[in-house]
Amino acid sequence: PEIAPALFSLPSVRWFYLAALLMQFSHGAYYGFLSLHLASHGFSRGAIGLIWTLGVVAEIVLLRHSGALLARFGVSCLLSLSLVIAIIRWSLYAMPPAWPILLLGQLLHAFTFGAFHVAAVRRTFEMAPHASRATAQSWYTALSFGLGGGLGIFICGQLYDRVGAEMLFALMAGGAALGLLTMQRASRLFVWERATLGLETPNSGSK
């Protein structure tokens, strides 16, 4: 029988992990400094708590309907769409904070975290050889949330006092844009590898 290629020997895997890293990197200003940014503009603790709660609620609602979203759009499309929305979201936060911007931005958390994570977990399952799926999920978590998220917060921490939160969010939008280009490359390679190498893909509604 043909031996499945090792996990990191597949170019699509390497590009996918880089894209996932960039997505979580782009959340650095949000997780690390949104509360400080809002407080510096006069938002109360109660208002800041409400803003964070709205993001969590939006995420929960999307997760409840994630199966339908995957079936409707497919994994590759949902990954790219989530990155496009991340670009829009961080661009909104690069503006002076106002309630309409913040409310819309927090609703978009449903996609930048919820939809992306669901689709990324599914793509990790699809692209890894059967014997490497648990390892692939571990690498996804470590490289995206661990390395990507940690690096984003660290770099934003170094720059916050120098450039301010609004510029940080603009930089994060740029990071999400790089992630979008990288994910599109990963998705094209994923399709090419299945067609060329004869790799099997579990039934998932991928597109």
Side-chain angles (χ1 to χ4, degrees):
E2 185 175 343
I3 299 175
L7 181 62
F8 281 96
S9 69
L10 295 170
S12 65
V13 172
R14 300 194 296 268
W15 282 94
F16 167 80
Y17 282 145
L18 178 57
L21 183 153
L22 287 167
M23 176 56 130
Q24 296 309 320
F25 171 86
S26 79
H27 283 68
Y30 174 68
Y31 286 128
F33 299 96
L34 179 64
S35 294
L36 289 175
H37 179 47
L38 296 179
S40 71
H41 282 78
F43 285 77
S44 67
R45 290 185 179 180
I48 294 171
L50 179 62
I51 289 166
W52 282 102
T53 299
L54 179 60
V56 173
V57 171
E59 172 193 330
I60 292 171
V61 171
L62 185 138
L63 291 175
R64 176 69 177 80
H65 300 282
S66 60
L69 277 174
L70 282 171
R72 172 66 179 84
F73 293 103
V75 176
S76 295
C77 181
L78 196 55
L79 288 168
S80 291
L81 176 62
S82 298
L83 281 155
V84 169
I85 291 175
I87 298 169
I88 296 170
R89 188 184 185 198
W90 308 142
S91 297
L92 289 173
Y93 288 161
M95 302 176 187
W99 275 105
I101 290 173
L102 293 168
L103 293 176
L104 175 58
Q106 288 303 92
L107 290 175
L108 297 181
H109 185 69
F111 284 89
T112 62
F113 178 81
F116 184 86
H117 181 60
V118 167
V121 168
R122 186 66 215 189
R123 178 48 46 89
T124 304
F125 176 80
E126 292 174 339
M127 70 185 182
H130 180 77
S132 302
R133 283 175 183 157
T135 300
Q137 295 289 350
S138 298
W139 276 110
Y140 162 66
T141 302
L143 292 174
S144 60
F145 295 101
L147 181 58
L151 189 60
I153 292 174
F154 174 77
I155 291 177
C156 287
Q158 300 302 306
L159 295 176
Y160 181 78
D161 290 331
R162 302 178 189 179
V163 303
E166 291 169 12
M167 179 57 71
L168 285 183
F169 279 113
L171 293 173
M172 296 299 99
L178 289 176
L180 174 61
L181 295 174
T182 305
M183 187 62 77
Q184 289 176 335
R185 171 72 171 164
S187 295
R188 288 193 297 268
L189 285 169
F190 176 80
V191 173
W192 179 85
E193 288 166 356
R194 266 72 202 154
T196 304
L197 304 179
L199 300 177
E200 295 184 1
T201 303
N203 182 22
S204 64
S206 296
K207 298 178 183 177

